[in-house]
Amino acid sequence: MKIVIGSDHGGFPVKQDIVDFLQENNYTVEDFGTYAAESCDYPDIAHKVGQAVADGEFDFGILICGTGIGVSMAANKVPGIRAAVCHDTYSARMARAHNDSNILCLGARVTGIGLMLDIVQSYLESDFEGGRHARRVDKIEG
Ligand code: RB5
């Protein structure tokens, strides 16, 4: 499974830990940055990650900022993207099972790294249930 990851400076401190976790669990990971702790603008990274997922280059994206909110707002502007902010494993599971989410957004200033890795695992190991949820997901784009 191919994953693309990106963060702003708010998510930068935890990004490498998530990359390491993914690689240890046999995911193929590409890191779209940011590559340094200096302040940067989260929409730039979120749009790049969103476009790459929407283009089918990756199965899923992971975006991290301080809260997860800014990157999710920006990624959701890319047609075909269903980015979900998750601070708990139940939401992560449901984001896949009911919403067919394709980008997981995390808040490095909200969630500790241990829980964040559990959230990543729950998200990537959950499948979309389809059925009545497919009809609702189809209506999201409007
Ligand atoms: C950066 O200070 C912070 O605003 C950003 O990481 C994010 O939390 C925005 O939603």
Side-chain angles (χ1 to χ4, degrees):
M1 198 184 279
K2 285 180 72 183
I3 312 291
V4 57
I5 193 166
S7 78
D8 72 350
H9 55 288
F12 178 72
V14 301
K15 179 160 58 66
Q16 191 57 46
D17 286 344
I18 296 175
V19 169
D20 293 345
F21 174 80
L22 290 167
Q23 288 174 337
E24 280 159 19
N25 286 281
N26 300 314
Y27 292 97
T28 301
V29 191
E30 202 163 321
D31 183 353
F32 276 19
T34 186
Y35 304 111
E38 280 78 46
S39 182
C40 62
D41 298 337
Y42 59 81
D44 298 338
I45 302 282
H47 289 155
K48 272 187 211 157
V49 166
Q51 198 56 60
V53 172
D55 289 346
E57 293 172 34
F58 299 92
D59 298 293
F60 295 104
I62 297 177
L63 283 165
I64 321 142
C65 65
T67 59
I69 296 170
V71 285
S72 72
M73 288 180 167
N76 276 321
K77 293 290 182 188
V78 179
I81 290 306
R82 291 178 297 280
V85 188
C86 298
H87 300 310
D88 63 89
T89 55
Y90 178 79
S91 300
R93 211 152 36 79
M94 287 301 117
R96 288 288 308 123
H98 286 192
N99 310 114
D100 199 19
S101 168
N102 47 16
I103 295 191
L104 171 65
C105 300
L106 299 164
R109 296 174 184 162
V110 180
T111 312
I113 185 64
L115 178 54
M116 234 182 296
L117 297 181
D118 280 356
I119 291 169
V120 168
Q121 185 172 12
S122 298
Y123 183 91
L124 293 176
E125 290 183 357
S126 299
D127 294 319
F128 182 46
E129 287 176 8
R132 67 188 186 282
H133 303 296
R135 183 183 67 245
R136 295 163 186 165
V137 168
D138 285 344
K139 288 183 175 182
I140 290 176
E141 292 280 343

